Amino acid sequence: MSEEALVKEKSNPDFQWYEDNVEIRGCDLSLPRIKAAYRELSALNRKEGERIVSATSKPDDMPDEEWEKKTAFWRDDAFRLTVSINGFDGETAYGETESIFDSKNLPAPIKSIYFTNLTAFSRNANGNEPPNHFSLTISFEKPPLFDPNPTVSEPTANNSKLVSHCQDVSYFRAIQTIVANKINSKKKWYSFIHAKFAYDVGLWFVAFPYALYWITIYCDHWLPSTGAHASFRVAFYIYGLGLSLFSYRALFGYLKWAFPVNILEENKDNATKHRILLGGIITSLIVGGIKSVVVNLF
């Protein structure tokens, strides 16, 4: 019998699908949490497999015993969630059960984790897709330390997402709920720095006013308007703002590198000392600014 029997014919011209693309950003994760999500998604997929196999008709010329073996094989093999755990050095661990998350041979540190119900079904259905399918990608990559990308207003690049394409709305909602509760529920407080326009907000409401204040203070101190070098004040402002913009961009890139989009506890990120350094830099800038305002304006 052809494996295409697993694929249901879509004879209804008003056939409806539900699609979604949910971003996974700002999450503080661990392998046990991801394993728990895998377990629940796997149980949901097995239940869906039971429904599909039960609805598949037995060919008239196939003995009952052979049909039972065939359907038992489909239940076991066609409705698994395949998992790929990738390391930064190119190493990949592959599995089709939740035990993969307990393996001692996982890449370290882990770059990304991907699992889907497409692979197992397709190999049993001549490459066809199941009526309800999804894939989940979680990436722990960091942005470059100094990002030359001109589109600084865009969110920090990260391909972590849940992609679902379903016929059954209850299956569709169940996937969303599991991912929301197990993956997307524990957020880091600093996730806003990776959002769209975070760079611009920081520039116009924090960095630019701060830089203008200090440039004005030093300009009046070094180049007073009644002094012999007053004609250099415009050049000082232009150069000062340019240098300030470069410094802000470098500091913002360093901040996003030290506090990445998603964090995996087992990776034991060594950026702690960089976070402490950044904390010291930002604190000194704030304290210095407050002291200067108090002295010069009040």
Side-chain angles (χ1 to χ4, degrees), residues 268-296:
K268 298 179 180 179
D269 189 7
N270 60 357
T272 301
K273 60 183 179 182
H274 296 280
R275 294 170 189 164
I276 295 173
L277 176 60
L278 273 168
I281 293 173
I282 294 173
T283 301
S284 65
L285 291 173
I286 293 172
V287 172
I290 292 174
K291 285 183 177 180
S292 179
V293 169
V294 170
V295 170
N296 290 285

Side-chain angles (χ1 to χ4, degrees), residues 142-145 194 252-260 269-271 274:
K142 290 186 175 187
L145 188 55
H194 298 285
F252 197 81
Y254 187 27
L255 184 70
K256 293 200 296 183
W257 179 87
F259 296 90
D269 189 7
N270 60 357
H274 296 280

Side-chain angles (χ1 to χ4, degrees), residues 33 38 47 80 100 108 113 122 133 157 167-168 172 198 249 256 276 289 297:
R33 287 182 67 84
Y38 175 91
K47 184 177 179 181
R80 298 185 179 190
I100 183 66
I113 297 176
S122 295
H133 59 85
Q167 169 189 339
D168 184 358
F172 179 71
R249 180 158 183 176
K256 293 200 296 183
I276 295 173
L297 300 183

Side-chain angles (χ1 to χ4, degrees), residues 23-41:
E23 291 188 338
I24 311 295
R25 299 180 68 88
C27 297
D28 185 6
L29 297 168
S30 64
L31 286 178
R33 287 182 67 84
I34 298 173
K35 177 181 177 181
Y38 175 91
R39 185 186 304 118
E40 292 189 19
L41 288 170

Side-chain angles (χ1 to χ4, degrees), residues 51-191:
R51 182 190 69 80
I52 292 175
V53 173
S54 298
T56 304
S57 301
K58 182 180 78 69
D60 296 334
D61 58 347
M62 178 175 286
D64 290 343
E65 183 179 352
E66 184 180 346
W67 175 247
E68 288 177 4
K69 289 181 179 179
K70 190 72 173 178
T71 54
F73 176 79
W74 280 343
R75 288 184 175 94
D76 177 62
D77 192 73
F79 300 96
R80 298 185 179 190
L81 295 190
T82 56
V83 187
S84 296
I85 301 178
N86 307 298
F88 284 92
D89 58 355
E91 181 183 0
T92 298
Y94 178 86
E96 297 188 349
T97 65
E98 65 180 77
S99 62
I100 183 66
F101 296 101
D102 300 317
S103 173
K104 295 180 180 179
N105 298 318
L106 294 180
I110 292 173
K111 178 181 179 181
S112 64
I113 297 176
Y114 171 83
F115 47 86
T116 182
N117 68 337
L118 276 168
T119 305
F121 185 91
S122 295
R123 71 187 178 210
N124 286 279
N126 288 344
N128 289 287
E129 297 177 347
N132 300 298
H133 59 85
F134 65 91
S135 59
L136 178 65
T137 303
I138 311 173
S139 174
F140 305 103
E141 289 186 271
K142 290 186 175 187
L145 188 55
F146 297 105
D147 190 359
N149 191 341
T151 56
V152 291
S153 299
E154 292 300 312
T156 305
N158 188 282
N159 66 344
S160 300
K161 58 187 175 181
L162 166 69
V163 178
S164 52
H165 187 92
C166 303
Q167 169 189 339
D168 184 358
V169 66
S170 60
Y171 188 96
F172 179 71
R173 298 301 181 199
I175 295 171
Q176 291 180 318
T177 300
I178 292 170
V179 172
N181 292 340
K182 297 298 182 181
I183 303 295
N184 254 343
S185 59
K186 191 176 180 182
K187 297 286 189 176
K188 300 298 288 186
W189 63 268
Y190 57 77
S191 59

